[in-house]
């Protein structure tokens, strides 16, 4: 009568199964290993996600700075136009005042 004994060991990385049989005097060892390929791919994917997030966040920040600079330039132009308008209004008032004075003195 042949006895058969199966021993299985798993250390988290490699799974090993040993089958022993009394009768033929042979031992069969079957090894299956994970190899760590999935772990390496996971780390690479994580690095890609982190780099992509950094790129998009820094791009958004530079876009915000550019938008702020444009808004500041537009405000400066608006302030300059207001000053020109005020100066034109003052000049118009002076011309009107001098015209009124000249008209009254000619009467």
């Amino acid at each position: 009568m042949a006895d058969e004994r199966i021993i299985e060991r798993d250390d988290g990385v490699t799974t090993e199964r040993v089958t022993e049989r009394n009768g033929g005097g042979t031992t069969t060892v079957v090894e299956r290993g994970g190899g760590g390929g999935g772990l390496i791919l996971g780390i690479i994917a994580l690095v890609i996600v982190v780099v992509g997030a950094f790129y998009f966040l820094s791009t958004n920040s530079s876009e915000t700075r550019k938008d702020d600079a444009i808004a500041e330039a537009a405000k400066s132009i608006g302030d300059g136009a207001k000053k020109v308008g005020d100066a034109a209004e003052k000049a118009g008032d002076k011309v009107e005042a001098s015209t009124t004075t000249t008209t009254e003195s000619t009467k």
Side-chain angles (χ1 to χ4, degrees):
M1 180 166 132
D3 292 329
E4 183 173 298
R5 187 172 86 171
I6 299 174
I7 302 170
E8 291 185 9
R9 286 179 271 191
D10 185 5
D11 63 359
V13 176
T14 304
T15 302
E16 182 177 70
R17 181 178 183 182
V18 178
T19 305
E20 295 177 355
R21 293 188 183 111
N22 290 339
T26 61
T27 302
T28 305
V29 177
V30 179
E31 254 187 63
R32 290 180 293 183
L39 178 65
I40 292 171
L41 289 176
I43 290 172
I44 291 172
L46 180 63
V47 168
I48 289 171
V49 168
V50 168
V51 168
F54 177 77
Y55 174 75
F56 285 119
L57 290 176
S58 67
T59 300
N60 188 24
S61 176
S62 67
E63 287 291 326
T64 302
R65 280 185 258 138
K66 186 170 53 171
D67 292 345
D68 290 346
I70 291 171
E72 185 63 33
K75 183 177 183 283
S76 296
I77 291 171
D79 291 345
K82 182 171 178 2
K83 287 179 182 179
V84 168
D86 291 345
E89 188 175 334
K90 285 180 183 178
D93 290 344
K94 285 183 181 180
V95 169
E96 185 179 327
S98 68
T99 305
T100 306
T101 306
T102 306
T103 307
E104 288 177 3
S105 61
T106 57
K107 287 187 182 182

